[in-house]
Amino acid sequence: MIGCRKSTCQVLRIIATIVCLTATVVAKVPNPNYADALTKSILFFEGQRSGKLHSNQRATWRKDSALHDGADKGVDLVGGYYDAGDNIKFHFPMAFTTTMLAWSVEQFKNTMGSDLQHAMEAIRWSTDYFLKATNIPNVVFAQVGNAEADHNCWERPEDMDTPRTTFAVTAQAPGSEVSAEIAAALAAASVVFKPSYPAYSKLLANRAVQVFEFADKYRGSYNDSIGPWVCPFYCNYNGYNDELLWAAAWLLKATRKPIYWNYVKQNIINFKSDIESGLSEFGWDAKHAGINVLISKFVLDNPSNANPFLPYADTFVCSVLPESPTNTVRYTPGGLMYKAGICNMQNPTALSFLLLTYARYMKSRVIRCGNVDVTQKMLIRFARSQVNYILGRNPMNMSYMVGYGTKFPQRIHHRGSSLPSIDQYPEKIGCKEGTPYFLSESSNPNLHIGAVVGGPDIKDYFADSRLSSSQSEPATYVNAPLVGLLAYFKAHP
């Protein structure tokens, strides 16, 4: 540093400090135990179950809840999942969760070992429910529960007394995004169940076809149909064209029928502006990148069908990788993918799943990002870095999965976890009676094992506080793609 300007020396000292901190992180945190994390990531879904629980329920702090859902419409809608730390069943993110759980199993079932059965049960808990939600022709039930009333209370799902209002989309009041995502979930699950439960697989595929036809024929957003009840919680901000393509792509995979290949080829052109506006987006609201990665499996061996799917998928890769000159994604100093908003951790898990999956599809193919050649190994290495960050290799030396490692979130924003279980406190806890537990600085009495929270801020800092829902609330759509990532890295440590 001899002869350098003061500002330059300061920069070099900062760099040196960062290097030392990084070394400290690696030194303090042992190699990730992907097998343990996989088991726990699947167990999480049992803590999110709604309805009548099975006798083999492992998350024993949870009990039966919402046993009369659908009664206000004269239908049976008991079951399904609560999306996050509340007690509402939002079908749009629930369906995406199901699709990603199914894709995780479809891709990585051979490395799941004894966890495979539990993963299949997690999928079926959802698909059994969606069969109920789509049982009436030209009607798709899209939500159960009054979100405003629910979010005004802090009570266990077993105690909730807020309105369990049922909301549906119909031919007269359509909801193409939620309907198409449910179709995608049913189609993806049919692929998973086909080898071992062919009759159930066929039932799922047939229902997926019916629901997709409804979504496509009666086009419209559920924002306009039931918006006052789904917004601002799960508004659709990206339109419904991506969900229609996504569902068709999964139906192609499930049925191998040319009609779906023709639909995808034609509408990738018709929806061009929508797709190109979100090539780096993937999550419960945006399926753009996922469509192209999923379809790439079909076209990599057939160059005549490569356009525009492979170019779009490559653009996605180049927009995410930090070493790419066309990168558009922000990262924390510790290396975590970051997008401002509620529950950032859905971005690292979902996008990393796509990168890992695309890497396995592309094999020896090289992607050109400006002057950087991107290989399969680079994509896998990046996905591993995001998973390792979640499991503790980060500046906080903290696992963001509850119950994994020695240091993890203790005060997650989750009603059932933060209130004493019925086993410990059998008396009813009313709407506002749970508020002292919400405000308490004590650790949650029920360990929601496997729950991955929203995570740190842009500076890698995590406030372990129930009050900070964006950081401390878990969600099913965070864990679903993580299941596949962990299954792969378990076999490739």
Side-chain angles (χ1 to χ4, degrees), residues 439-460:
L439 297 174
S440 169
E441 294 185 3
S442 299
S443 299
N444 287 10
N446 305 309
L447 206 60
H448 197 349
I449 294 175
V452 177
V453 297
D457 62 19
I458 187 62
K459 297 180 180 179
D460 293 303

Side-chain angles (χ1 to χ4, degrees), residues 95 99 130 134 140 176-190 204-205 207-215 243-244 246-248 250-251 254:
T99 308
F130 281 130
T134 58
V140 171
S176 293
E177 63 279 271
V178 63
S179 304
E181 186 60 57
I182 290 173
L186 294 169
S190 76
L204 295 176
R207 184 63 59 81
V209 168
Q210 295 170 22
V211 177
F212 173 71
E213 289 175 352
F214 165 72
E243 275 81 30
L244 291 173
W246 176 242
W250 275 109
L251 280 164

Side-chain angles (χ1 to χ4, degrees), residues 235-278:
C235 277
N236 176 14
Y237 298 100
N238 285 281
Y240 54 77
N241 291 334
D242 56 323
E243 275 81 30
L244 291 173
L245 277 171
W246 176 242
W250 275 109
L251 280 164
L252 171 63
K253 190 173 183 66
T255 68
R256 301 288 172 170
K257 292 182 178 179
I259 185 176
Y260 298 112
W261 174 237
N262 293 333
Y263 184 97
V264 172
K265 281 197 301 182
Q266 181 60 48
N267 285 291
I268 198 76
I269 299 170
N270 293 342
F271 304 156
K272 182 179 180 181
S273 61
D274 275 2
I275 298 301
E276 290 184 344
S277 68

Side-chain angles (χ1 to χ4, degrees), residues 68-286:
H68 303 288
D69 280 359
D72 61 323
K73 295 292 191 293
V75 294
D76 173 11
L77 290 177
V78 176
Y81 288 107
Y82 304 118
D83 70 299
D86 54 23
N87 300 323
I88 301 298
K89 294 190 297 198
F90 295 101
H91 295 184
F92 193 22
M94 191 199 302
F96 176 72
T97 294
T98 309
T99 308
M100 293 309 297
L101 268 177
W103 202 0
S104 290
V105 171
E106 186 269 334
Q107 281 291 297
F108 305 109
K109 63 183 177 182
N110 292 334
T111 60
M112 286 187 171
S114 60
D115 290 309
L116 176 60
Q117 182 59 37
H118 294 299
M120 300 277 280
E121 289 170 359
I123 296 168
R124 183 149 189 171
W125 190 269
S126 192
T127 52
D128 282 352
Y129 178 74
F130 281 130
L131 287 173
K132 295 179 180 182
T134 58
N135 198 40
I136 302 173
N138 292 337
V139 174
V140 171
F141 292 103
Q143 180 176 317
V144 179
N146 184 309
E148 291 287 355
D150 177 84
H151 284 70
N152 192 41
C153 292
W154 196 261
E155 57 186 347
R156 301 177 295 201
E158 295 84 357
D159 287 335
M160 59 181 167
D161 47 17
T162 53
R164 299 301 291 172
T165 313
T166 304
F167 301 96
V169 294
T170 65
Q172 294 73 35
S176 293
E177 63 279 271
V178 63
S179 304
E181 186 60 57
I182 290 173
L186 294 169
S190 76
V191 175
V192 169
F193 286 109
K194 189 172 183 178
S196 50
Y197 301 95
Y200 186 65
S201 171
K202 186 175 181 180
L203 173 63
L204 295 176
N206 289 341
R207 184 63 59 81
V209 168
Q210 295 170 22
V211 177
F212 173 71
E213 289 175 352
F214 165 72
D216 189 42
K217 182 177 181 180
Y218 302 104
R219 294 190 185 185
S221 173
Y222 83 156
N223 290 359
D224 301 320
S225 303
I226 57 173
W229 299 280
V230 300
C231 294
F233 310 100
Y234 288 103
C235 277
N236 176 14
Y237 298 100
N238 285 281
Y240 54 77
N241 291 334
D242 56 323
E243 275 81 30
L244 291 173
L245 277 171
W246 176 242
W250 275 109
L251 280 164
L252 171 63
K253 190 173 183 66
T255 68
R256 301 288 172 170
K257 292 182 178 179
I259 185 176
Y260 298 112
W261 174 237
N262 293 333
Y263 184 97
V264 172
K265 281 197 301 182
Q266 181 60 48
N267 285 291
I268 198 76
I269 299 170
N270 293 342
F271 304 156
K272 182 179 180 181
S273 61
D274 275 2
I275 298 301
E276 290 184 344
S277 68
L279 286 176
S280 62
E281 298 289 331
F282 188 60
W284 62 262
D285 184 35

Side-chain angles (χ1 to χ4, degrees), residues 285-334:
D285 184 35
K287 314 308 181 314
H288 307 76
I291 295 162
N292 296 299
V293 169
L294 180 61
I295 290 296
S296 71
K297 175 68 172 175
F298 294 89
V299 303
L300 275 167
D301 297 327
N302 190 343
S304 64
N305 289 322
N307 288 321
F309 306 104
L310 288 190
Y312 281 166
D314 291 351
T315 298
F316 159 66
V317 169
C318 295
S319 70
V320 172
L321 288 189
E323 56 264 57
S324 167
T326 54
N327 169 296
T328 61
V329 176
R330 298 173 73 194
Y331 290 87
T332 68

Side-chain angles (χ1 to χ4, degrees), residues 291-451:
I291 295 162
N292 296 299
V293 169
L294 180 61
I295 290 296
S296 71
K297 175 68 172 175
F298 294 89
V299 303
L300 275 167
D301 297 327
N302 190 343
S304 64
N305 289 322
N307 288 321
F309 306 104
L310 288 190
Y312 281 166
D314 291 351
T315 298
F316 159 66
V317 169
C318 295
S319 70
V320 172
L321 288 189
E323 56 264 57
S324 167
T326 54
N327 169 296
T328 61
V329 176
R330 298 173 73 194
Y331 290 87
T332 68
L336 181 71
M337 192 183 300
Y338 188 85
K339 184 177 181 180
I342 297 174
C343 194
N344 170 62
M345 208 63 88
Q346 65 181 307
N347 299 297
T349 61
L351 296 181
S352 295
F353 179 93
L354 287 188
L355 291 173
L356 175 63
T357 302
Y358 194 38
R360 297 176 77 240
Y361 291 167
M362 63 187 269
K363 299 179 182 178
S364 61
R365 182 170 169 268
V366 175
I367 298 170
R368 187 78 171 168
C369 297
N371 60 349
V372 176
D373 287 338
V374 177
T375 64
Q376 180 189 56
K377 288 184 178 179
M378 290 172 67
L379 297 184
I380 295 172
R381 184 169 64 242
F382 172 81
R384 186 190 300 274
S385 75
Q386 299 299 292
V387 172
N388 288 354
Y389 186 109
I390 293 169
L391 296 182
R393 289 197 168 185
N394 54 63
M396 296 283 289
N397 290 318
M398 180 178 197
S399 159
Y400 290 106
M401 176 185 286
V402 174
Y404 175 86
T406 57
K407 181 183 178 184
F408 50 82
Q410 301 291 323
R411 289 169 283 278
I412 68 173
H413 183 95
H414 190 279
R415 287 157 177 76
S417 172
S418 67
L419 293 161
S421 69
I422 287 178
D423 288 336
Q424 301 300 316
Y425 192 93
E427 292 83 4
K428 177 181 171 63
I429 300 175
C431 171
K432 296 300 183 182
E433 292 173 0
T435 302
Y437 295 95
F438 171 66
L439 297 174
S440 169
E441 294 185 3
S442 299
S443 299
N444 287 10
N446 305 309
L447 206 60
H448 197 349
I449 294 175

